[in-house]
Amino acid sequence: MSSIPIPHDISFEGAAHHRVLIIGAGPAGYTAALYAARANLAPVVYTGLEPGGQLTTTTDVENYPGYVDGVLGPAMMEDFKAQAVRFGAEVEYGEITHLDLSQRPIKVVVDEETGVLADTVIVATGASARYLGLENEKRLLGRGVSACATCDGAFFRGVDLAVVGGGDTAMEESLFLTRFASRVWLIHRRDELRASKIMQQRVMAHPKIEIIWNTVVTDVLGADEVTGVRLRNVTDNSERDLAVSGFFVAIGHTPNTALFKSWLDVDEQGYIETRSGSTQTNIPGVFACGDAQDHVYRQAVTAAGTGCMAAMDAERFLAARAG
Ligand code: NDP
């Protein structure tokens, strides 16, 4: 994604023209699609590179209302999509690579080549996992370093693993990894976890998980594959190496908003700012919802809620313009 201007050779002559164009296919994007479809606005959803969003990298979702026994994240996203499609939403597997929000209709470029026009745009691009920023963490990514236990955990059977982070994601990743690993070290930089109490209790009660408090990871060790991590205790500055075969980073997320930064107001972390009680951005007809806009709640159900709001805001915008 970039915010570079639309290349001159992209043609918009005869381009598809949508009343509602949704960027992103997680709970927010699909819910916006469902509501816009039921309002007869024939929305199109561009999925980006990760259709289904972050929920496709998770296993059991136990806190989405209505699923009494829980549901697998990817299955839930298939349900969301099918429901939106049933009412006429169109789902396209493409990435929005450029856009121009300064004119009406809004100009959008898909996969660097196809011009598309839209009366309203709903940004539902979500957020992506954050890394520590260590050189060897990057070098060993996919060779023992991962930010997704549910994607990669099964590759690490019967070995010791490390997880860094103190939030709900780190708890969830640690608990998931106990299915495969012989032991999970949870490394946290403070002496108190940020995660919800119920997740903390599960982690602390688990016989395979051990928490290393007040400690940061200063290096990832290994020539071709991870063999360990270097740790520094922040209270006494002592260093030691911990032998592990896998290193899972679970330290939060960055909103996927780079494409919009030259157009839309964002906060210091890059989350899109919307008018209080609404999904309206600083540009009329452009709405933002889900994790790209919400750094506080970041739940599937709140993302779905703001997706609904965005569709209703878009509908009202179009109705006001028509009337
Ligand atoms: P959070 O922002 O909640 O937590 C990030 C954690 O990583 C914090 O403990 C933080 O430490 C630590 N951290 C951040 N940067 C670094 C760094 N550079 N080095 C070491 N540690 C670092 O992110 P999560 O992804 O865990 O959760 C995001 C949201 O999603 C939360 O609202 C959470 O409740 C929700 N969530 C809910 C789930 C569920 O209900 N099933 C599952 C997963 C997420 P510190 O605490 O010191 O700041």
Side-chain angles (χ1 to χ4, degrees):
M1 279 190 178
S2 75
S3 54
I4 49 176
I6 291 179
H8 294 301
D9 59 344
I10 303 285
S11 168
F12 288 88
E13 237 180 77
H17 188 152
H18 302 279
R19 273 177 290 174
V20 180
L21 185 146
I22 299 162
I23 309 177
Y30 282 140
T31 305
L34 170 65
Y35 272 76
R38 285 174 59 83
N40 277 338
L41 294 171
V44 61
V45 180
Y46 282 96
T47 64
L49 300 177
E50 208 180 312
Q54 287 179 69
L55 280 175
T56 57
T57 63
T58 195
T59 48
D60 301 315
V61 179
E62 294 178 333
N63 53 9
Y64 199 90
Y67 291 98
V68 180
D69 300 316
V71 60
L72 292 173
M76 185 166 102
M77 283 301 89
E78 283 304 314
D79 286 349
F80 270 53
K81 178 180 160 189
Q83 195 177 359
V85 167
R86 179 155 85 89
F87 291 102
E90 187 189 330
V91 178
E92 295 285 348
Y93 296 92
E95 192 193 9
I96 305 303
T97 48
H98 304 79
L99 45 78
D100 182 347
L101 300 178
S102 68
Q103 304 170 38
R104 288 289 176 277
I106 290 164
K107 286 181 174 168
V108 168
V109 179
V110 184
D111 293 334
E112 309 271 357
E113 56 183 23
T114 309
V116 174
L117 300 169
D119 295 326
T120 61
V121 165
I122 294 177
V123 180
T125 46
S128 295
R130 212 179 269 162
Y131 289 87
L132 292 174
L134 302 168
E135 209 171 291
N136 286 325
E137 172 192 47
K138 198 170 174 188
R139 183 176 61 81
L140 293 167
L141 190 63
R143 289 186 286 165
V145 174
S146 168
C148 178
T150 50
C151 317
D152 302 325
F155 300 123
F156 299 93
R157 287 174 196 274
V159 294
D160 285 6
L161 300 174
V163 175
V164 64
D168 278 326
T169 303
M171 305 304 111
E172 209 171 61
E173 304 264 283
S174 301
L175 288 163
F176 181 75
L177 290 171
T178 60
R179 299 183 192 191
F180 316 102
S182 43
R183 183 160 41 178
V184 177
W185 300 99
L186 176 60
I187 302 157
H188 184 43
R189 61 185 179 183
R190 293 189 293 135
D191 61 358
E192 194 187 354
L193 296 170
R194 179 181 295 276
S196 56
K197 283 285 175 280
I198 187 170
M199 297 296 275
Q200 290 193 28
Q201 282 161 4
R202 283 184 198 172
V203 162
M204 288 184 184
H206 202 289
K208 280 191 182 178
I209 303 177
E210 216 158 311
I211 305 180
I212 303 178
W213 300 102
N214 296 311
T215 296
V216 293
V217 176
T218 56
D219 203 358
V220 185
L221 312 172
D224 300 317
E225 289 184 339
V226 171
T227 57
V229 284
R230 183 153 297 156
L231 305 178
R232 182 166 57 81
N233 183 304
V234 294
T235 51
D236 61 12
N237 267 334
S238 60
E239 277 207 332
R240 68 172 167 125
D241 291 350
L242 177 72
V244 289
S245 305
F247 175 55
F248 288 80
V249 188
I251 60 164
H253 295 83
T254 304
N256 299 320
T257 55
L259 180 66
F260 311 99
K261 277 183 184 162
S262 58
W263 305 103
L264 302 181
D265 291 344
V266 296
D267 69 12
E268 68 285 351
Q269 291 180 69
Y271 290 90
I272 297 171
E273 291 184 334
T274 52
R275 207 182 288 158
S276 174
S278 133
T279 60
Q280 176 65 63
T281 66
N282 56 301
I283 295 193
V286 180
F287 307 90
C289 53
D291 286 11
Q293 167 260 342
D294 166 29
H295 58 91
V296 179
Y297 301 104
R298 294 185 286 194
Q299 301 300 298
V301 65
T302 50
T306 55
C308 159
M309 288 166 65
M312 293 176 78
D313 288 343
E315 187 187 351
R316 283 180 194 145
F317 173 86
L318 290 169
R321 221 180 49 157

